[in-house]
Amino acid sequence: MNSYKFLYLFWLLPLSFLFLIGQQSLVYYGINDTFENGTSYTAEVVDFDLKQIAAQTNGYIILRFETNKGEEIERKLSLPVEMAGELQQIRVVPVRYNPGGWQEILLLPTIETQKSLVWTNALMAFVALLITFGISITAHRFANKKLTEEDQELVIERID
């Protein structure tokens, strides 16, 4: 088997970024769906933690609220640092709840930040898609060129 055939695997890179763009589109749709079709509640902040490890900062928030049907909901949501800063001092958070939705709980104070993060992620994935698409085309052409060439046999002559 010719090892140049492995260069065709570069097509997996743009495919993965295309998948990421689709996933971010579904997240954006879920945010809008929960905002439009969800029910508004006020949730009590049970626990809030912000961790900083090296250059990464993230955290979580645990919310508890009761639905109109008397069901008590308690969920732990992860938070990026952009959203955590807005929720740090709040003990009662207005939320939208859409059971069974793509994005079940939506924190209303951070909705614009969440939408902008989704847009930023999708745009970065799109730029990466364009770059890796160019790399994949170049690798594909190179592999085709090498596979269609005849193999040159290396001849070593001894000259005394």
Side-chain angles (χ1 to χ4, degrees):
M1 185 171 126
N2 200 333
S3 62
Y4 289 110
K5 290 183 181 182
F6 287 116
L7 291 175
Y8 292 123
L9 291 176
F10 270 104
W11 283 108
L12 293 176
L13 288 171
L15 188 64
S16 65
F17 286 116
L18 193 62
F19 171 77
L20 187 60
I21 291 170
Q23 187 265 347
Q24 289 297 308
S25 300
L26 285 175
V27 170
Y28 190 79
Y29 168 76
I31 290 169
N32 286 332
D33 182 49
T34 300
F35 185 73
E36 293 171 2
N37 301 325
T39 309
S40 293
Y41 297 104
T42 55
E44 170 192 359
V45 177
V46 177
D47 191 17
F48 179 87
D49 190 22
L50 191 61
K51 296 179 184 177
Q52 185 167 2
I53 303 170
Q56 296 180 349
T57 305
N58 62 2
Y60 67 88
I61 187 170
I62 299 177
L63 300 174
R64 182 185 310 141
F65 61 94
E66 191 172 315
T67 64
N68 295 337
K69 299 175 184 174
E71 181 183 359
E72 187 172 297
I73 306 291
E74 185 172 322
R75 296 282 162 80
K76 180 178 182 179
L77 306 173
S78 63
L79 296 173
V81 68
E82 293 87 358
M83 292 171 53
E86 297 176 26
L87 298 172
Q88 215 164 10
Q89 302 300 323
I90 301 176
R91 290 291 151 220
V92 176
V93 180
V95 296
R96 290 268 187 160
Y97 179 63
N98 186 12
W102 180 263
Q103 188 82 16
E104 281 190 338
I105 298 176
L106 185 63
L107 305 170
L108 294 181
T110 62
I111 188 169
E112 292 305 319
T113 305
Q114 194 170 4
K115 283 184 179 182
S116 69
L117 284 173
V118 170
W119 272 108
T120 303
N121 289 342
L123 288 175
M124 284 192 293
F126 181 72
V127 169
L129 171 71
L130 292 178
I131 293 169
T132 56
F133 189 74
I135 292 171
S136 297
I137 287 174
T138 305
H140 187 93
R141 287 180 182 170
F142 181 75
N144 281 345
K145 179 181 164 189
K146 289 295 186 180
L147 290 173
T148 55
E149 287 180 357
E150 289 185 23
D151 288 337
Q152 294 181 359
E153 188 174 321
L154 182 64
V155 178
I156 302 175
E157 291 182 18
R158 183 174 174 179
I159 302 174
D160 286 334

